[in-house]
């Protein structure tokens, strides 16, 4: 971690949470019995399944195993003021990362090998910070359900678990997850403290490869994002954009890039980095822990 980076001791999630995330989370909490569904129907089976799958067939990163990547995790946790979760490296040709967390249990993050091959260390840390953002924002119960839905549809979960989730609930969970991603992108920016690093991750996930990644241009990708935004100013464009995203677990990358570029220029973001003496919480001490759990 560069010594010039600001550590956000006592940081509260509401200081950076995206308004869409807040609204979507409130809507989910209005669904009766959702927490009970996750814990009783899904939590005991699916989370154990995924945990055992990772610990049996992935590499647990630590001080003695890929220590450079472990340092990226530790530094990101120091900046966001979080306890360090487990981080696994999983062999997979699709660049991806995800987090599993149930209240009262230790969360873990999974990163695919192809993602490590694609990104620079700073970009990889931004991805790790994005996943930490889910923990900081207390996305645990809903995030677990959303990830189960995504993994079930990809064939990585037992079929019965995926079939247990109603179609309308799936649509609501994917809508929530798309909104939650905006908050986690902000967490990535708070750790990288360089918007181009976060935008570069989104660009490479859109059309990068280990060979082409160094040739890609962040400024050109932002121009592309503005062109996409211009299309959405018409009613027809809005309809097409909605149809394009309704089955996605993440917002389209150009939209996420535009959101990060805009937020990096706000007083909200600048005040978090430029007022370290505020310490964000007069009661806070640098003791780590799941401060928002």
């Amino acid at each position: 971690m560069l010594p010039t980076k600001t550590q956000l001791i006592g940081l509260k999630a509401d200081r950076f949470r995206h308004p869409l995330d807040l609204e979507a989370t409130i809507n989910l909490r209005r669904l009766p019995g959702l927490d009970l569904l996750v814990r009783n129907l899904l939590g005991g089976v699916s989370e154990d399944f995924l945990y055992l799958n990772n610990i049996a067939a992935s590499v647990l990163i630590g001080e003695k195993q890929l220590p450079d990547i472990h340092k990226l995790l530790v530094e990101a946790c120091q900046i966001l003021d979080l306890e360090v979760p487990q981080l696994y490296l999983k062999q997979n040709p699709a660049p991806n990362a995800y987090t599993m967390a149930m209240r009262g249990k230790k969360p873990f993050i999974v990163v695919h090998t192809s993602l490590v091959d694609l990104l620079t260390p700073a970009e990889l840390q931004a991805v790790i910070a994005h996943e930490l953002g889910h923990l900081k924002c207390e996305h645990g119960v809903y995030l677990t359900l959303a990830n189960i839905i995504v993994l079930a549809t990809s064939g990585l979960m037992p079929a019965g678990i995926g079939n247990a989730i109603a179609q309308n609930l799936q649509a609501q969970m994917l809508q929530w997850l798309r909104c939650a991603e905006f908050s986690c992108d902000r967490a990535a920016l708070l750790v990288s403290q360089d918007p181009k690093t976060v935008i570069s991750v989104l660009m490479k996930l859109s059309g990068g490869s280990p060979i082409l990644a160094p040739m890609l241009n962040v400024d050109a990708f932002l121009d592309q994002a503005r062109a996409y935004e211009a299309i959405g100013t018409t009613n027809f464009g809005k309809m097409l954009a909605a149809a394009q995203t309704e089955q996605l677990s993440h917002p389209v990358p150009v939209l996420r890039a535009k959101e990060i570029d805009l937020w990096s220029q706000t007083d909200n973001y600048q005040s978090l980095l430029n007022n370290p003496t505020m310490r964000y919480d007069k009661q806070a001490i640098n003791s780590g822990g799941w401060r928002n759990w």
Side-chain angles (χ1 to χ4, degrees), residues 6 14 45 67 74 87 93 95 97 108 113 131 141 148 161 184 197 202 205 239 258 263 267 270 274 279:
T6 302
D14 286 345
V45 178
V74 171
L87 176 62
F108 61 91
T113 50
E131 297 304 321
V141 168
I148 287 169
I161 293 176
C184 297
T197 298
L202 297 168
L205 290 175
M239 181 182 68
K258 181 183 72 69
W263 192 62
D267 292 339
Q270 295 298 331
N274 295 333
R279 307 312 281 176

Side-chain angles (χ1 to χ4, degrees), residues 95-262:
N96 193 24
Y98 58 89
T99 300
M100 285 290 175
M102 295 287 287
R103 289 173 186 165
K105 289 191 177 183
K106 182 125 179 127
F108 61 91
I109 298 171
V110 179
V111 175
H112 289 176
T113 50
S114 52
L115 188 72
V116 178
D117 291 339
L118 181 64
L119 304 179
T120 67
E123 292 165 350
L124 178 60
Q125 186 179 55
V127 170
I128 293 171
H130 173 100
E131 297 304 321
L132 291 173
H134 285 302
L135 303 179
K136 194 70 185 180
C137 291
E138 299 177 335
H139 289 158
V141 168
Y142 303 137
L143 177 66
T144 297
L145 179 54
N147 276 331
I148 287 169
I149 291 171
V150 173
L151 293 171
T153 57
S154 67
L156 296 179
M157 289 289 297
I161 293 176
N163 294 335
I165 302 170
Q167 189 69 28
N168 63 336
L169 177 58
Q170 177 173 326
Q172 286 179 284
M173 288 305 306
L174 290 178
Q175 169 67 17
W176 169 81
L177 183 55
R178 289 193 296 271
C179 294
E181 292 298 304
F182 288 125
S183 294
C184 297
D185 285 343
R186 290 182 174 189
L189 178 57
L190 289 174
V191 169
S192 69
Q193 301 179 13
D194 176 11
K196 286 195 172 183
T197 298
V198 181
I199 295 169
S200 181
V201 171
L202 297 168
M203 176 181 62
K204 289 180 179 180
L205 290 175
S206 300
S209 71
I211 294 176
L212 295 176
M215 308 177 195
L216 295 175
N217 185 305
V218 168
D219 293 327
F221 190 68
L222 279 174
D223 290 340
Q224 180 180 333
R226 297 181 186 106
Y228 177 83
E229 181 183 25
I231 294 173
T233 58
T234 66
N235 289 334
F236 183 64
K238 292 177 182 177
M239 181 182 68
L240 288 177
Q244 181 185 35
T245 61
E246 64 181 2
Q247 294 301 315
L248 298 179
S249 61
H250 291 59
V252 292
V254 290
L255 180 57
R256 294 170 64 185
K258 181 183 72 69
E259 282 291 306
I260 275 299
D261 183 50
L262 290 175

